[in-house]
mmCIF file of all heavy atoms in Angstrom:
data_model
loop_
_atom_site.group_PDB
_atom_site.id
_atom_site.type_symbol
_atom_site.label_atom_id
_atom_site.label_comp_id
_atom_site.label_asym_id
_atom_site.label_seq_id
_atom_site.Cartn_x
_atom_site.Cartn_y
_atom_site.Cartn_z
ATOM 1 N N PHE F 1 -31.308 78.156 -2.423
ATOM 2 C CA PHE F 1 -30.672 78.657 -3.659
ATOM 3 C C PHE F 1 -31.671 78.577 -4.808
ATOM 4 O O PHE F 1 -32.690 77.815 -4.842
ATOM 5 C CB PHE F 1 -29.300 77.998 -4.035
ATOM 6 C CG PHE F 1 -29.452 76.562 -4.275
ATOM 7 C CD1 PHE F 1 -29.811 75.924 -5.440
ATOM 8 C CD2 PHE F 1 -29.293 75.689 -3.084
ATOM 9 C CE1 PHE F 1 -29.875 74.569 -5.580
ATOM 10 C CE2 PHE F 1 -29.415 74.284 -3.242
ATOM 11 C CZ PHE F 1 -29.683 73.818 -4.476
ATOM 12 N N LEU F 2 -31.469 79.330 -5.829
ATOM 13 C CA LEU F 2 -32.296 79.257 -7.111
ATOM 14 C C LEU F 2 -31.877 78.038 -7.828
ATOM 15 O O LEU F 2 -30.763 77.849 -8.343
ATOM 16 C CB LEU F 2 -31.958 80.545 -7.924
ATOM 17 C CG LEU F 2 -32.727 80.645 -9.260
ATOM 18 C CD1 LEU F 2 -34.165 80.797 -8.995
ATOM 19 C CD2 LEU F 2 -32.277 81.765 -10.056
ATOM 20 N N ALA F 3 -32.833 77.038 -7.769
ATOM 21 C CA ALA F 3 -32.559 75.694 -8.438
ATOM 22 C C ALA F 3 -32.896 75.600 -9.850
ATOM 23 O O ALA F 3 -32.327 74.816 -10.563
ATOM 24 C CB ALA F 3 -33.306 74.712 -7.622
ATOM 25 N N SER F 4 -33.803 76.463 -10.313
ATOM 26 C CA SER F 4 -34.171 76.369 -11.777
ATOM 27 C C SER F 4 -34.871 77.746 -12.077
ATOM 28 O O SER F 4 -35.834 78.136 -11.298
ATOM 29 C CB SER F 4 -35.198 75.252 -12.054
ATOM 30 O OG SER F 4 -35.565 75.341 -13.396
ATOM 31 N N PRO F 5 -34.378 78.474 -13.159
ATOM 32 C CA PRO F 5 -33.214 78.191 -13.929
ATOM 33 C C PRO F 5 -31.975 78.302 -13.140
ATOM 34 O O PRO F 5 -32.004 78.871 -11.965
ATOM 35 C CB PRO F 5 -33.369 79.251 -15.078
ATOM 36 C CG PRO F 5 -34.134 80.356 -14.331
ATOM 37 C CD PRO F 5 -35.054 79.824 -13.383
ATOM 38 N N VAL F 6 -30.897 78.024 -13.828
ATOM 39 C CA VAL F 6 -29.480 78.125 -13.246
ATOM 40 C C VAL F 6 -28.584 79.036 -14.097
ATOM 41 O O VAL F 6 -27.915 78.514 -14.868
ATOM 42 C CB VAL F 6 -28.949 76.703 -13.045
ATOM 43 C CG1 VAL F 6 -27.553 76.788 -12.483
ATOM 44 C CG2 VAL F 6 -29.819 75.873 -12.146
ATOM 45 N N PRO F 7 -28.510 80.209 -13.650
ATOM 46 C CA PRO F 7 -27.522 81.048 -14.244
ATOM 47 C C PRO F 7 -26.114 80.927 -13.615
ATOM 48 O O PRO F 7 -26.090 80.903 -12.385
ATOM 49 C CB PRO F 7 -28.059 82.457 -14.156
ATOM 50 C CG PRO F 7 -28.941 82.480 -12.903
ATOM 51 C CD PRO F 7 -29.395 80.990 -12.801
ATOM 52 N N LEU F 8 -25.089 80.690 -14.387
ATOM 53 C CA LEU F 8 -23.794 80.419 -13.817
ATOM 54 C C LEU F 8 -22.763 81.571 -14.035
ATOM 55 O O LEU F 8 -21.717 81.595 -13.411
ATOM 56 C CB LEU F 8 -23.078 79.190 -14.497
ATOM 57 C CG LEU F 8 -23.986 77.866 -14.234
ATOM 58 C CD1 LEU F 8 -23.231 76.710 -14.862
ATOM 59 C CD2 LEU F 8 -24.152 77.578 -12.774
ATOM 60 N N ASP F 9 -23.125 82.576 -14.898
ATOM 61 C CA ASP F 9 -22.183 83.636 -15.056
ATOM 62 C C ASP F 9 -23.097 84.913 -15.580
ATOM 63 O O ASP F 9 -24.299 84.732 -15.687
ATOM 64 C CB ASP F 9 -21.098 83.390 -16.002
ATOM 65 C CG ASP F 9 -21.632 82.815 -17.347
ATOM 66 O OD1 ASP F 9 -22.696 83.135 -17.743
ATOM 67 O OD2 ASP F 9 -20.798 82.087 -17.944
ATOM 68 N N ASN F 10 -22.434 86.011 -15.844
ATOM 69 C CA ASN F 10 -23.198 87.107 -16.313
ATOM 70 C C ASN F 10 -23.979 87.090 -17.636
ATOM 71 O O ASN F 10 -24.905 87.521 -17.779
ATOM 72 C CB ASN F 10 -22.226 88.342 -16.391
ATOM 73 C CG ASN F 10 -22.128 89.142 -15.031
ATOM 74 O OD1 ASN F 10 -22.477 88.553 -14.033
ATOM 75 N ND2 ASN F 10 -21.514 90.330 -15.137
ATOM 76 N N SER F 11 -23.368 86.261 -18.498
ATOM 77 C CA SER F 11 -24.039 86.010 -19.784
ATOM 78 C C SER F 11 -25.371 85.216 -19.592
ATOM 79 O O SER F 11 -26.386 85.608 -20.225
ATOM 80 C CB SER F 11 -23.180 85.216 -20.814
ATOM 81 O OG SER F 11 -22.930 83.885 -20.372
ATOM 82 N N ASP F 12 -25.294 84.233 -18.618
ATOM 83 C CA ASP F 12 -26.564 83.569 -18.290
ATOM 84 C C ASP F 12 -27.604 84.492 -17.611
ATOM 85 O O ASP F 12 -28.803 84.384 -17.938
ATOM 86 C CB ASP F 12 -26.327 82.324 -17.413
ATOM 87 C CG ASP F 12 -25.597 81.180 -18.070
ATOM 88 O OD1 ASP F 12 -25.585 81.173 -19.319
ATOM 89 O OD2 ASP F 12 -25.041 80.318 -17.337
ATOM 90 N N VAL F 13 -27.069 85.328 -16.664
ATOM 91 C CA VAL F 13 -27.939 86.259 -16.106
ATOM 92 C C VAL F 13 -28.622 87.210 -16.983
ATOM 93 O O VAL F 13 -29.835 87.529 -17.045
ATOM 94 C CB VAL F 13 -27.288 87.114 -15.004
ATOM 95 C CG1 VAL F 13 -28.108 88.180 -14.468
ATOM 96 C CG2 VAL F 13 -26.891 86.147 -13.851
ATOM 97 N N LEU F 14 -27.845 87.693 -18.061
ATOM 98 C CA LEU F 14 -28.395 88.602 -19.089
ATOM 99 C C LEU F 14 -29.457 87.905 -19.916
ATOM 100 O O LEU F 14 -30.418 88.409 -20.255
ATOM 101 C CB LEU F 14 -27.167 89.133 -19.841
ATOM 102 C CG LEU F 14 -27.535 90.224 -20.933
ATOM 103 C CD1 LEU F 14 -28.158 91.420 -20.189
ATOM 104 C CD2 LEU F 14 -26.367 90.685 -21.731
ATOM 105 N N ASP F 15 -29.185 86.564 -20.267
ATOM 106 C CA ASP F 15 -30.090 85.812 -20.978
ATOM 107 C C ASP F 15 -31.438 85.698 -20.248
ATOM 108 O O ASP F 15 -32.536 85.782 -20.833
ATOM 109 C CB ASP F 15 -29.587 84.404 -21.355
ATOM 110 C CG ASP F 15 -28.460 84.405 -22.386
ATOM 111 O OD1 ASP F 15 -28.478 85.441 -23.080
ATOM 112 O OD2 ASP F 15 -27.760 83.432 -22.530
ATOM 113 N N LEU F 16 -31.318 85.548 -18.887
ATOM 114 C CA LEU F 16 -32.500 85.475 -18.132
ATOM 115 C C LEU F 16 -33.267 86.669 -18.048
ATOM 116 O O LEU F 16 -34.495 86.745 -18.211
ATOM 117 C CB LEU F 16 -32.100 85.012 -16.671
ATOM 118 C CG LEU F 16 -33.124 84.622 -15.639
ATOM 119 C CD1 LEU F 16 -34.083 83.626 -16.151
ATOM 120 C CD2 LEU F 16 -32.654 84.306 -14.380
ATOM 121 N N TYR F 17 -32.612 87.816 -17.893
ATOM 122 C CA TYR F 17 -33.206 89.199 -17.964
ATOM 123 C C TYR F 17 -33.892 89.487 -19.316
ATOM 124 O O TYR F 17 -34.949 89.980 -19.378
ATOM 125 C CB TYR F 17 -32.126 90.200 -17.747
ATOM 126 C CG TYR F 17 -31.980 90.529 -16.204
ATOM 127 C CD1 TYR F 17 -30.666 90.474 -15.652
ATOM 128 C CD2 TYR F 17 -32.996 90.889 -15.449
ATOM 129 C CE1 TYR F 17 -30.523 90.729 -14.362
ATOM 130 C CE2 TYR F 17 -32.759 91.252 -14.042
ATOM 131 C CZ TYR F 17 -31.541 91.028 -13.532
ATOM 132 O OH TYR F 17 -31.421 91.428 -12.169
ATOM 133 N N GLU F 18 -33.293 88.999 -20.378
ATOM 134 C CA GLU F 18 -33.872 89.144 -21.671
ATOM 135 C C GLU F 18 -34.915 88.196 -22.166
ATOM 136 O O GLU F 18 -35.491 88.166 -23.207
ATOM 137 C CB GLU F 18 -32.660 89.180 -22.728
ATOM 138 C CG GLU F 18 -31.741 90.276 -22.623
ATOM 139 C CD GLU F 18 -30.648 90.305 -23.590
ATOM 140 O OE1 GLU F 18 -30.533 89.307 -24.335
ATOM 141 O OE2 GLU F 18 -29.861 91.282 -23.753
ATOM 142 N N GLY F 19 -35.185 87.110 -21.282
ATOM 143 C CA GLY F 19 -36.238 86.157 -21.507
ATOM 144 C C GLY F 19 -35.754 85.087 -22.500
ATOM 145 O O GLY F 19 -36.471 84.277 -23.053
ATOM 146 N N LYS F 20 -34.478 84.943 -22.614
ATOM 147 C CA LYS F 20 -33.965 83.813 -23.518
ATOM 148 C C LYS F 20 -33.859 82.515 -22.694
ATOM 149 O O LYS F 20 -33.848 82.497 -21.475
ATOM 150 C CB LYS F 20 -32.530 84.203 -23.932
ATOM 151 C CG LYS F 20 -32.570 85.345 -24.909
ATOM 152 C CD LYS F 20 -31.066 85.750 -25.229
ATOM 153 C CE LYS F 20 -30.994 86.940 -26.172
ATOM 154 N NZ LYS F 20 -29.609 87.313 -26.467
ATOM 155 N N PRO F 21 -33.802 81.378 -23.336
ATOM 156 C CA PRO F 21 -33.648 80.070 -22.658
ATOM 157 C C PRO F 21 -32.492 80.026 -21.687
ATOM 158 O O PRO F 21 -31.367 80.369 -22.186
ATOM 159 C CB PRO F 21 -33.631 79.141 -23.687
ATOM 160 C CG PRO F 21 -34.198 79.601 -24.907
ATOM 161 C CD PRO F 21 -33.816 81.146 -24.834
ATOM 162 N N VAL F 22 -32.618 79.566 -20.553
ATOM 163 C CA VAL F 22 -31.560 79.321 -19.590
ATOM 164 C C VAL F 22 -31.603 77.952 -19.120
ATOM 165 O O VAL F 22 -32.693 77.372 -18.985
ATOM 166 C CB VAL F 22 -31.569 80.393 -18.463
ATOM 167 C CG1 VAL F 22 -30.424 80.159 -17.444
ATOM 168 C CG2 VAL F 22 -31.422 81.743 -18.934
ATOM 169 N N THR F 23 -30.420 77.341 -18.694
ATOM 170 C CA THR F 23 -30.406 75.896 -18.405
ATOM 171 C C THR F 23 -31.334 75.714 -17.283
ATOM 172 O O THR F 23 -31.313 76.378 -16.179
ATOM 173 C CB THR F 23 -28.952 75.509 -17.962
ATOM 174 O OG1 THR F 23 -28.167 75.679 -19.144
ATOM 175 C CG2 THR F 23 -28.914 74.047 -17.570
ATOM 176 N N ARG F 24 -32.135 74.556 -17.250
ATOM 177 C CA ARG F 24 -32.994 74.134 -16.187
ATOM 178 C C ARG F 24 -32.670 72.695 -15.910
ATOM 179 O O ARG F 24 -32.997 71.814 -16.633
ATOM 180 C CB ARG F 24 -34.490 74.256 -16.672
ATOM 181 C CG ARG F 24 -34.974 75.761 -16.660
ATOM 182 C CD ARG F 24 -36.374 75.944 -16.958
ATOM 183 N NE ARG F 24 -36.848 77.348 -17.060
ATOM 184 C CZ ARG F 24 -37.171 78.022 -16.017
ATOM 185 N NH1 ARG F 24 -37.223 77.481 -14.807
ATOM 186 N NH2 ARG F 24 -37.472 79.245 -16.155
ATOM 187 N N PRO F 25 -32.100 72.511 -14.722
ATOM 188 C CA PRO F 25 -31.648 71.074 -14.355
ATOM 189 C C PRO F 25 -32.934 70.111 -14.226
ATOM 190 O O PRO F 25 -33.983 70.633 -13.902
ATOM 191 C CB PRO F 25 -30.968 71.214 -13.077
ATOM 192 C CG PRO F 25 -30.442 72.621 -13.021
ATOM 193 C CD PRO F 25 -31.508 73.488 -13.727
ATOM 194 N N SER F 26 -32.675 68.875 -14.498
ATOM 195 C CA SER F 26 -33.816 67.929 -14.318
ATOM 196 C C SER F 26 -33.781 67.343 -12.914
ATOM 197 O O SER F 26 -34.775 66.697 -12.516
ATOM 198 C CB SER F 26 -33.706 66.795 -15.314
ATOM 199 O OG SER F 26 -32.375 66.193 -15.245
ATOM 200 N N ALA F 27 -32.679 67.468 -12.170
ATOM 201 C CA ALA F 27 -32.520 66.898 -10.863
ATOM 202 C C ALA F 27 -31.262 67.409 -10.200
ATOM 203 O O ALA F 27 -30.391 67.978 -10.851
ATOM 204 C CB ALA F 27 -32.498 65.338 -10.994
ATOM 205 N N TYR F 28 -31.277 67.231 -8.873
ATOM 206 C CA TYR F 28 -30.051 67.570 -7.961
ATOM 207 C C TYR F 28 -29.788 66.359 -7.138
ATOM 208 O O TYR F 28 -30.710 65.584 -6.780
ATOM 209 C CB TYR F 28 -30.298 68.831 -7.166
ATOM 210 C CG TYR F 28 -30.256 70.158 -7.902
ATOM 211 C CD1 TYR F 28 -31.412 70.759 -8.395
ATOM 212 C CD2 TYR F 28 -29.036 70.807 -8.077
ATOM 213 C CE1 TYR F 28 -31.371 71.975 -8.996
ATOM 214 C CE2 TYR F 28 -29.014 71.945 -8.790
ATOM 215 C CZ TYR F 28 -30.112 72.550 -9.203
ATOM 216 O OH TYR F 28 -30.017 73.732 -9.821
ATOM 217 N N SER F 29 -28.565 66.223 -6.706
ATOM 218 C CA SER F 29 -28.217 65.174 -5.776
ATOM 219 C C SER F 29 -27.039 65.791 -4.851
ATOM 220 O O SER F 29 -26.275 66.694 -5.274
ATOM 221 C CB SER F 29 -27.834 63.905 -6.443
ATOM 222 O OG SER F 29 -26.644 64.092 -7.188
ATOM 223 N N ILE F 30 -26.978 65.253 -3.650
ATOM 224 C CA ILE F 30 -25.897 65.499 -2.754
ATOM 225 C C ILE F 30 -24.959 64.370 -2.690
ATOM 226 O O ILE F 30 -25.302 63.287 -2.393
ATOM 227 C CB ILE F 30 -26.432 65.862 -1.418
ATOM 228 C CG1 ILE F 30 -27.381 67.030 -1.344
ATOM 229 C CG2 ILE F 30 -25.308 66.129 -0.368
ATOM 230 C CD1 ILE F 30 -26.809 68.362 -1.746
ATOM 231 N N GLU F 31 -23.619 64.814 -2.923
ATOM 232 C CA GLU F 31 -22.634 63.631 -2.937
ATOM 233 C C GLU F 31 -21.588 63.929 -1.930
ATOM 234 O O GLU F 31 -21.195 65.118 -1.740
ATOM 235 C CB GLU F 31 -21.917 63.534 -4.371
ATOM 236 C CG GLU F 31 -22.910 63.341 -5.488
ATOM 237 C CD GLU F 31 -22.221 63.349 -6.821
ATOM 238 O OE1 GLU F 31 -21.036 63.596 -6.927
ATOM 239 O OE2 GLU F 31 -22.927 63.052 -7.885
#
């Protein structure tokens, strides 16, 4: 899966397409 950046909905995807900052996780873990 796409781990960084992380778009969670359409507004995040649109921000990504427009070159705006999108959340980038610092780490992942499996619980």
